[in-house]
Structures are given as structure tokens and as C-alpha cells.
């Protein structure tokens, strides 16, 4: 995992813009850490542990920066998967992490917004037309906590986009299944 973090750090240093986890040649995308994945994927247990570690970085709310998570998501979309078991396992782990992150995120947004509302606030969100009206209807809102919620929503969105991309790329439908203790299957 340290090698992956170092690769991100190196790409961040040399990149003029945002560090991405893939390289695009003509019409082909290749993960910048594809060689690392090629070495790990020989053993299924090592491969799954590595994938778990990468995807679990989306659960570390304060530690992970969005730029690093984008690098991880880019890499996971363009690793050189050799068998269908590999992207199915990624989708399985993303499902688990995204569902827990999404429910936590909803609780956080609800907590921040309910606490932020004043008693004489506008009752219907559709009645709010300007940013000033929104701010006046939420006088107690902690903008720092709200900003953290927004960052967390971007983390969830990256997970959902990753899952969607893999499903589209490999032609999976909702009939896929994957069990961490066995080989994944699809219908």
C-alpha cells in the first residue's frame, strides 16, 4: 500500500494539474500502477487484500483527500483485469463501502441541516430562491460541518461512478453476485 501512496505522491509532484491514476494513449486507458497490480494479482488472496485496502481508503473521512481518492478510483477503473472475478470483486467491495458511507452521509446531512434551521425558517425548500434566503433559513448552520458533508458526498459519488464504469465496461447487469470467500459469478 505504501508503494501506491508513493506513486500518488510522485504523480502529484510532477503533475501540472490534478494527479490522475491513469494514462490515456489514443483510445486506450492504462493504470499508472498497472505493473504493481500485475504483480499482486497472481495470488487471489493478495489481490483481494490490495483491492480492499484501496477501497477502504474511501471510508477514512478525514485522512483521505479527494485527489488521492480520484487517483485510487482511476486506478481501479483501468487495472489490467485478467478474469471477470476481479472487477466483480471490486464492485462487491464498492457496494459494501458505498452503502455504509451513504447511510452515514445521510445522517450527517440530516444532523447538520436540522440543527442549522431556525424555528421561523422557511418550511419548504422549494420556497428558497436565493443564497441569502438559504443562509437566513439556516442561521445556526455550521458551515465547517456542512463542508465536510459535501466532501463526503464527493467520496460517495466517486464510488458510485467507479461501480457504474466497471459495470458498463464489463457488461455486468444487476444479476451479478460475488462472495468474498468464493469465486464471483454473474448471470
Amino acid at each position: 500500500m505504501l508503494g501506491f501512496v508513493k506513486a500518488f505522491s510522485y504523480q502529484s509532484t510532477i503533475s501540472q494539474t490534478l494527479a490522475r491514476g491513469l494514462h490515456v494513449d489514443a483510445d486506450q486507458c492504462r493504470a499508472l500502477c498497472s505493473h504493481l497490480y500485475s504483480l499482486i494479482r497472481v495470488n487471489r488472496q493478495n489481490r483481494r487484500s490490495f483491492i480492499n485496502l484501496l477501497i477502504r481508503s474511501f471510508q477514512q473521512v478525514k485522512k483521505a483527500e479527494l485527489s488521492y481518492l480520484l487517483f485510487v478510483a482511476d486506478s481501479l477503473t483501468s487495472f489490467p483485469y485478467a478474469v471477470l472475478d476481479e472487477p466483480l470483486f471490486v464492485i462487491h467491495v464498492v457496494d459494501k463501502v458505498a452503502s455504509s458511507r451513504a447511510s452515514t452521509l445521510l445522517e450527517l446531512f440530516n444532523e447538520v441541516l436540522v440543527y442549522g434551521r431556525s424555528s421561523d425558517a422557511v418550511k419548504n425548500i422549494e420556497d428558497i430562491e436565493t443564497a441569502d434566503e438559504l443562509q437566513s433559513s439556516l442561521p445556526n448552520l455550521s458551515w465547517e460541518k456542512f463542508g465536510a458533508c459535501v466532501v463526503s458526498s464527493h467520496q460517495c459519488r466517486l464510488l458510485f461512478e467507479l461501480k457504474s464504469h466497471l459495470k458498463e465496461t464489463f457488461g455486468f447487469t444487476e444479476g451479478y453476485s460475488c462472495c468474498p470467500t468464493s469465486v464471483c459469478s454473474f448471470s
Side-chain angles (χ1 to χ4, degrees):
M1 188 66 184
L2 182 60
F4 196 83
V5 174
K6 294 261 186 205
F8 167 72
S9 177
Y10 175 72
Q11 286 300 317
S12 297
T13 303
I14 65 169
S15 177
Q16 299 294 337
T17 59
L18 190 61
R20 301 298 301 257
L22 53 90
H23 179 71
V24 180
D25 282 331
D27 60 341
Q28 183 181 3
C29 290
R30 179 180 56 83
L32 293 176
C33 296
S34 62
H35 182 69
L36 173 64
Y37 184 76
S38 298
L39 295 172
I40 291 173
R41 81 169 178 213
V42 174
N43 181 315
R44 190 172 97 189
Q45 183 179 2
N46 291 344
R47 177 180 68 229
R48 288 184 171 195
S49 294
F50 180 68
I51 289 171
N52 267 320
L53 280 172
L54 289 179
I55 296 173
R56 298 280 178 219
S57 62
F58 283 86
Q59 288 183 313
Q60 300 168 350
V61 179
K62 303 222 180 201
K63 292 183 180 178
E65 297 178 6
L66 281 177
S67 56
Y68 174 70
L69 296 178
L70 179 62
F71 187 83
V72 170
D74 282 346
S75 297
L76 287 167
T77 61
S78 53
F79 276 151
Y81 298 118
V83 293
L84 290 177
D85 177 51
E86 297 171 15
L88 278 172
F89 184 73
V90 172
I91 291 170
H92 171 73
V93 176
V94 164
D95 275 341
K96 287 184 356 185
V97 171
S99 66
S100 70
R101 291 289 299 139
S103 63
T104 303
L105 183 61
L106 284 174
E107 290 174 15
L108 284 172
F109 264 118
N110 191 33
E111 178 184 311
V112 167
L113 293 176
V114 167
Y115 176 75
R117 290 186 69 107
S118 65
S119 58
D120 60 336
V122 178
K123 300 295 186 231
N124 192 351
I125 195 74
E126 294 170 0
D127 296 338
I128 298 174
E129 295 180 5
T130 66
D132 290 335
E133 288 179 11
L134 176 64
Q135 198 165 9
S136 67
S137 70
L138 300 168
N140 302 326
L141 180 66
S142 167
W143 290 101
E144 184 177 313
K145 287 182 181 179
F146 184 74
C149 288
V150 170
V151 169
S152 292
S153 70
H154 290 301
Q155 292 173 342
C156 277
R157 172 111 193 256
L158 275 173
L159 284 171
F160 289 127
E161 291 292 331
L162 169 61
K163 176 184 171 183
S164 174
H165 175 78
L166 289 175
K167 285 174 64 176
E168 182 179 312
T169 301
F170 292 96
F172 298 137
T173 61
E174 288 300 319
Y176 65 85
S177 65
C178 186
C179 177
T181 59
S182 68
V183 175
C184 299
S185 64
F186 65 97
S187 57

